[in-house]
Amino acid sequence: MATLSQQLAGNLRCPPLRNSTLTKPISTKHVIKPRTSSIVSAVAVNNAQTRERQKLKKMFEDAYERCRTAPMEGVSFTLDDFHSALDKYDFNAEVGTKVKGTVFCTDANGALVDITAKSSAYLPVQEASIHRIKHVQEAGIVPGMREEFIIIGENEADDSLILSLRSIQYGLAWERCRQLQAEDVVVKGKVVGANKGGVVAVVEGIRGFVPFSQISTKTNAEELLEMEIPLKFVEVDEEQSRLVLSNRKAMADTQAQLGIGSVVTGTVQSLKPYGAFIDIGGINGLLHVSQISHDRVSDIATVLQPGDTLKVMVLSHDRERGRVSLSTKKLEPTPGDMIRNPKLVFEKAEEMAQTFRQRIAQAEAMARADMLRFQPESGLTLSSDGILGPLTSDLPAEGLDLSDVLAADKS
């Protein structure tokens, strides 16, 4: 009996492979050949990239060496140029520093200003002028305006700077007040407030105090509100923010210039049954109803109204009492012109006043001549033309002998 191995070997025998497709020779055209061209091109690319990297590496190494050994070689913008640029565009942003700026935008609350800083600066409307304004344009602040500002703070929200023109104007106003005080000048001040001691008046944009003892009239404070009155400087102290003014001193200087017969321009302040009060340079004069016109004036309101501007003649001036009497009657070219044609009276005022003064001077000369007519020792006599002059030398030195005078012919 054959062994198990022999049986298995006999059963596993395969037929010969002569007729199998596997026994056919393999064609050379189907043989996979190695791709040598692709490998060569890849190697060439890698070599080019390597050379480029080496070239860049060399360039960076050379640049690093130049920066280390000669950093400014071939650079046109030098270190001095850099410092000059910093001096030109950089500035001290501390509070109180003055800077130049150009307004480029305005709104209801203020204006944006370019001061060549890292961010724009802002000018609030309340800092745009020493006077109270509602919009910056009221102070002449418009886009394109270039001005000097002062830094007063910083906005923490956006790091922008806050500017002011008011602070600069405030300093200039104090300087102006000092000059006016030194020159002893009379200025106009508007009364804006009052307290127990006096009134507050604005001069050159600064609020000053006028004590009641320095007000020439007996008018109460309420009547002076919103009025412009003449003032002189008594004390100007910027450090203490103290400005004291006097209306009494200003009135004394103004009143000294009011001569009898002079013509001044005034404004009607109020009407009374007996006349009109006229403001003539801060002084209230009385134009009595009898001095308005040669014609009778039954109702002053038909001739004058508060606010009217007219020319008046000064008739009298009581400096101690501060009373001034005025007249338009003396300025009428013809009686009644103040009622019929007040414009003509205004135009002819100086001419009529000159004629009036000449008549007064002539009358005074006649009165003096009458006093001297019987006083030959004065050496003066009155000519036939009414001119007062020295005695003529026609008479003999020893006097006139009346016995030598021929008797009058009776025929």
Side-chain angles (χ1 to χ4, degrees):
M1 180 181 218
T3 61
L4 179 60
S5 61
Q6 290 175 345
Q7 289 179 0
L8 289 173
N11 292 332
L12 291 174
R13 287 181 181 177
C14 295
L17 297 175
R18 291 192 186 100
N19 297 326
S20 174
T21 57
L22 296 177
T23 59
K24 295 181 181 180
I26 300 174
S27 175
T28 56
K29 64 180 180 180
H30 298 293
V31 177
I32 300 175
K33 299 180 180 180
R35 299 178 180 177
T36 56
S37 60
S38 300
I39 296 174
V40 172
S41 61
V43 172
V45 171
N46 290 336
N47 291 337
Q49 291 177 348
T50 300
R51 286 194 300 270
E52 186 67 25
R53 291 192 185 97
Q54 290 176 348
K55 182 179 179 180
L56 291 173
K57 180 180 179 182
K58 184 67 168 59
M59 184 185 300
F60 284 120
E61 289 176 351
D62 293 342
Y64 172 78
E65 186 64 20
R66 285 197 304 272
C67 291
R68 189 178 65 84
T69 57
M72 300 306 296
E73 181 181 353
V75 179
S76 59
F77 189 77
T78 64
L79 187 60
D80 293 336
D81 296 333
F82 178 71
H83 287 305
S84 299
L86 287 179
D87 294 338
K88 182 178 180 180
Y89 294 104
D90 197 13
F91 59 90
N92 186 2
E94 294 181 356
V95 173
T97 304
K98 292 183 179 180
V99 294
K100 285 281 188 178
T102 302
V103 177
F104 65 89
C105 180
T106 62
D107 56 28
N109 299 318
L112 286 171
V113 184
D114 178 16
I115 55 174
T116 65
K118 60 182 179 180
S119 62
S120 299
Y122 193 69
L123 175 69
V125 65
Q126 62 268 21
E127 293 294 334
S129 175
I130 195 172
H131 304 286
R132 291 183 179 181
I133 57 176
K134 295 182 179 180
H135 197 281
V136 293
Q137 291 183 355
E138 296 179 28
I141 300 173
V142 294
M145 186 198 78
R146 184 166 178 80
E147 189 58 79
E148 185 177 52
F149 302 86
I150 188 169
I151 300 174
I152 60 172
E154 183 177 359
N155 189 348
E156 297 180 356
D158 56 3
D159 293 333
S160 62
L161 299 176
I162 301 176
L163 306 179
S164 174
L165 278 175
R166 179 177 177 272
S167 298
I168 296 178
Q169 295 173 359
Y170 196 67
L172 294 175
W174 278 106
E175 179 62 28
R176 177 64 176 160
C177 290
R178 285 191 291 269
Q179 293 177 355
L180 294 173
Q181 182 188 31
E183 297 171 2
D184 198 30
V185 176
V186 176
V187 298
K188 287 279 189 175
K190 184 176 182 180
V191 179
V192 296
N195 53 37
K196 294 181 179 180
V199 298
V200 178
V202 177
V203 177
E204 296 293 326
I206 302 176
R207 297 165 71 92
F209 181 66
V210 187
F212 282 126
S213 61
Q214 293 299 320
I215 298 177
S216 61
T217 62
K218 300 300 182 181
T219 309
N220 57 45
E222 288 72 17
E223 294 179 354
L224 291 175
L225 286 176
E226 301 301 321
M227 288 183 58
E228 287 191 348
I229 59 176
L231 298 166
K232 269 195 170 186
F233 295 92
V234 176
E235 183 179 355
V236 180
D237 189 346
E238 182 179 1
E239 293 183 358
Q240 300 295 328
S241 296
R242 181 177 174 84
L243 183 65
V244 182
L245 306 163
S246 172
N247 171 249
R248 186 179 294 277
K249 290 184 176 182
M251 294 291 283
D253 282 4
T254 304
Q255 291 175 358
Q257 300 173 1
L258 293 178
I260 306 302
S262 60
V263 176
V264 293
T265 302
T267 304
V268 178
Q269 294 295 315
S270 61
L271 302 179
K272 301 295 181 181
Y274 51 85
F277 284 98
I278 313 297
D279 178 15
I280 49 175
I283 302 174
N284 280 328
L286 175 62
L287 177 60
H288 196 270
V289 63
S290 63
Q291 288 296 328
I292 294 178
S293 176
H294 284 85
D295 290 354
R296 183 176 181 276
V297 177
S298 57
D299 186 3
I300 301 177
T302 60
V303 183
L304 301 174
Q305 286 294 324
D308 288 350
T309 300
L310 67 161
K311 290 182 179 179
V312 292
M313 176 186 287
V314 179
L315 293 181
S316 64
H317 182 195
D318 187 346
R319 291 184 175 84
E320 293 183 359
R321 297 184 179 182
R323 295 179 180 178
V324 180
S325 297
L326 307 172
S327 173
T328 54
K329 174 181 178 179
K330 306 296 184 184
L331 302 178
E332 289 183 320
T334 56
D337 281 343
M338 192 61 194
I339 299 174
R340 296 186 298 269
N341 192 0
K343 183 178 179 181
L344 180 63
V345 178
F346 190 94
E347 294 173 352
K348 298 288 185 178
E350 283 77 9
E351 180 181 339
M352 296 304 299
Q354 180 64 23
T355 302
F356 177 79
R357 288 192 293 268
Q358 290 175 352
R359 291 200 303 265
I360 295 298
Q362 187 175 6
E364 290 177 350
M366 294 292 291
R368 288 195 300 270
D370 289 339
M371 295 177 62
L372 297 172
R373 188 179 300 277
F374 303 102
Q375 300 177 13
E377 65 275 8
S378 65
L380 299 175
T381 186
L382 190 67
S383 68
S384 59
D385 298 328
I387 300 176
L388 190 65
L391 288 170
T392 62
S393 58
D394 298 337
L395 298 177
E398 62 275 9
L400 180 65
D401 188 357
L402 297 180
S403 61
D404 295 336
V405 178
L406 296 177
D409 190 357
K410 294 182 181 180
S411 60

